[in-house]
């Protein structure tokens, strides 16, 4: 997974004219493997296996079995991401969106269940080291057409925010920056009143 993840980073960097920036950024990455198991469900229209969310990680490399259930939202409609033998689905997450200065977008996705067959998926979530500053390469930023879309942050701080305060969706990163601003203001007020 290490070789595959870094290889994908190399390709993503090349796709944006940023050379090996992303691959080098993710050397020594801090990643997680998750196994999802969705049992058969007698009332699949009443529930979801995994509700709508985005992956806040950098990229998620997902392998699903042959049952099907992964869906992605495009223009407010849900579309099946059908299993294709021997393939992976690669999802972009918030951290990578910020690293590309918003060039790569984050897909809202979910998993539905069915009443015939249990399903499983395995996801490799590739994250940078927790304290590494997330900052796009110079090639993707300029003052006039491509100003910075997101301030500097660390994956460690975003991860803590998601775990403790907010489930990942399209608003996560904005809520995270708002919270960081509030915390900065509070800190400044308490130091100036000392
Ligand atoms: O099981 C799936 O196909 C989706 C799983 C997923 O989106 C996740 O674990 O973040
Ligand atoms: Fe996901």
């Amino acid at each position: 997974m290490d070789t595959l993840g870094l290889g994908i980073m190399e390709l993503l960097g090349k796709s944006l004219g940023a050379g090996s920036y992303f691959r080098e950024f993710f050397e020594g990455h801090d990643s997680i493997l998750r196994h999802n198991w969705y049992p058969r469900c007698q009332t699949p229209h009443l529930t979801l296996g995994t509700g709508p969310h985005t992956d806040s990680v950098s990229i998620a490399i997902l392998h699903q079995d042959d049952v099907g259930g992964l869906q992605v939202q495009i223009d407010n409609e849900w579309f099946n991401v059908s299993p294709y033998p021997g393939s992976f689905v690669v999802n972009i997450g918030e951290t990578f969106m910020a690293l590309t200065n918003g060039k790569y977008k984050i897909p809202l996705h979910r998993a539905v269940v069915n009443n015939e067959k249990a399903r499983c998926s395995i996801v490799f979530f590739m994250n940078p080291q927790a304290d590494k500053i997330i900052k796009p390469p110079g090639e993707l930023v300029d003052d006039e057409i491509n100003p910075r879309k997101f301030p500097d942050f660390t994956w460690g701080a975003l991860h803590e925010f998601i775990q403790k305060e907010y489930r990942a969706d399209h608003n996560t990163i904005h809520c995270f920056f708002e919270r960081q601003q509030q915390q900065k203001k509070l800190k400044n007020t308490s130091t100036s009143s000392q």
Side-chain angles (χ1 to χ4, degrees), residues 34 36 50-51 53-55 60 62 70 91 109-110 123 125:
R34 179 195 288 162
N36 296 305
T50 300
H53 67 282
T54 54
D55 294 333
L62 179 146
L70 176 62
N91 267 339
H109 57 284
R110 68 181 188 182
V123 198
F125 294 104

Side-chain angles (χ1 to χ4, degrees), residues 115-167:
N115 57 12
E116 284 172 17
K117 257 184 157 180
R119 167 177 183 262
C120 82
S121 66
I122 299 176
V123 198
F124 180 73
F125 294 104
M126 191 164 183
N127 307 310
Q129 286 163 2
D131 55 357
K132 210 154 177 175
I133 306 286
I134 311 290
K135 198 186 198 106
E139 289 88 339
L140 302 183
V141 183
D142 60 71
D143 288 344
E144 275 155 33
I145 304 172
N146 296 302
R148 282 284 297 270
K149 291 207 169 64
F150 308 97
D152 288 358
F153 66 99
T154 63
W155 160 242
L158 177 62
H159 193 207
E160 191 180 342
F161 178 72
I162 297 157
Q163 297 287 311
K164 292 191 181 157
E165 302 194 34
Y166 198 99
R167 183 170 159 85

